[in-house]
Every structure is written in C-alpha cells, then in structure tokens.
Amino acid sequence: VADRWSRRVTAVVAGAGFGKSGLLVEALGANRAAPLGVDAWVGCQDEDVRLDRFFEALFTAVRGAPPLDLPIDLDDAVHRLADAVWSHAPLPVSIVVDDVHRLTEASAGASLLDALVRRLPATANFVVTSRVGLPFSIARLRSTGEAIVLTEADLVMTADELREFAAHRGQPGLDLKATGGWPALAELAQDRLPPLLRAPQ
C-alpha cells in the first residue's frame, strides 16, 4: 500500500477482521509524516450507490470542500473530479475508498468509480478495500502491472509476526498459532483468552 503512488489501483480484498481499514490508517499516517502526495479518504456508505451522494463524498475528500452543486450526469461528475485532482498539481492524489463492497455492480456509484479509474489524470491513483470482489473490473490494469490485488493470504500474520505481536502487547509467552494468523482473532486472543493460548513454560 505504501507503493500506491506508483500504480493506478491498489485493491485489498478480504473478509471482516483482516485489518483492511487499519492498513489504510497506517499508510495514511505514514504519508502525513513524510508526504509523497495528497491522500483523499472516503468510507463508502449504502447511500453511495447514488451518483450524487458518491460524487459529493469523493469531491469533498479530494478538494477539501463540498461541491457548490451536484453533477448532472456521469460525464459531468468525472470532469469535475478531474478538475479537483488537477487543483493539487504537481502533487499526485491517492483516492482511498474503503468498503467498496457497499457499491453494487449495477449501481451509479460503481459506474462512477469505474469511470474515474479509467479517465482521471495520471496523477490520480486509487486504493480500494472490499470484503468481496470489486464492483468494477481491473483485469486490464492487472495485466499491465498497473493494478495489484492483496487478498486474505497476504494479510494473515506469519508465525514470526504473531510472536512479535504478542511481545509488543507485553505477552511474549502467548501462543497465537491457533488464530491462524487472522489479525482480529489474534487481537481478541491477547485481550481476552491468554490462559487458553499461553504456551507452556
């Protein structure tokens, strides 16, 4: 995710509890500390299936202020968001969209996101998270190396990471292998179940 500036789309697709949102928070925090560009974060809501609602959320995140009025159609929305991206030039803009599974494939919101990925200036890139497959296709971008998809297999914690996690939480003897590396379960285990999972001394 730290390399998001070098590709058009970075997608993180995994179920609940795999740390998708936490990963974004960490990446955005690192960029605030040592800026490489402008991050614009949007957390999708059910209402974002509508063009006007999703446009308003995206425009506000990118431009830093809400739009004066709403778009008349998809093309108008794309052009106005392109202008918002250009307002930050020469800095690149990373549009971070969390929980895109809320955008159903046939929705106007999904169509807007698809159009933005295809048509925004090259200074824009996208980071999207979803619990299921994306509501738009990035197959062509993946084939050219312009997109990457991180999955649950990439997000599970390794044995070494689980040991570091336990040590960092002040419980170096805690055996978290039973969590299967699932971040949410590891967090729960170290908080509530240490007697069950503590390694024998």
Side-chain angles (χ1 to χ4, degrees), residues 25 35 69 99-100 111 115-116 130 139 150-151 154 161 172 179 184 190 200:
V25 169
D69 54 13
D99 291 338
V100 297
S111 296
L116 294 174
S130 181
L150 305 175
T151 66
D154 300 300
E161 288 169 337
T179 66
Q190 69 88 27

Side-chain angles (χ1 to χ4, degrees), residues 3-170:
D3 292 334
R4 61 193 178 280
W5 310 101
S6 64
R7 67 179 70 92
R8 188 62 161 182
V9 178
T10 301
V12 186
V13 180
F18 273 88
K20 300 183 298 298
S21 296
L23 182 63
L24 297 185
V25 169
E26 183 178 341
L28 271 61
N31 187 54
R32 283 193 297 272
L36 296 175
V38 177
D39 279 313
W41 183 87
V42 171
C44 280
Q45 305 297 319
D46 292 339
E47 296 81 5
D48 291 328
V49 295
R50 291 168 37 195
L51 177 66
D52 58 341
R53 289 296 298 269
F54 195 36
F55 166 82
E56 184 175 17
L58 290 166
F59 186 95
T60 302
V62 173
R63 196 66 180 88
L68 297 178
D69 54 13
L70 296 176
I72 58 175
D73 57 25
L74 180 64
D75 285 339
D76 184 33
V78 172
H79 288 312
R80 292 170 63 182
L81 283 164
D83 287 341
V85 168
W86 279 123
S87 72
H88 294 287
L91 291 175
V93 177
S94 181
I95 299 174
V96 182
V97 187
D98 199 12
D99 291 338
V100 297
H101 54 267
R102 293 178 180 268
L103 305 178
T104 55
E105 284 191 38
S107 70
S111 296
L112 175 58
L113 187 54
D114 178 56
L116 294 174
V117 168
R118 290 184 289 105
R119 296 166 54 186
L120 279 195
T123 55
N125 65 68
F126 297 82
V127 180
V128 296
T129 73
S130 181
R131 293 184 182 179
V132 296
L134 302 180
F136 61 99
S137 176
I138 58 171
R140 182 187 61 79
L141 292 173
R142 292 184 72 182
S143 70
T144 60
E146 297 176 80
I148 188 172
V149 178
L150 305 175
T151 66
E152 293 177 359
D154 300 300
L155 298 178
V156 292
M157 300 167 77
T158 66
D160 286 342
E161 288 169 337
L162 286 171
R163 283 192 291 272
E164 291 175 12
F165 175 84
H168 184 68
R169 296 298 196 278

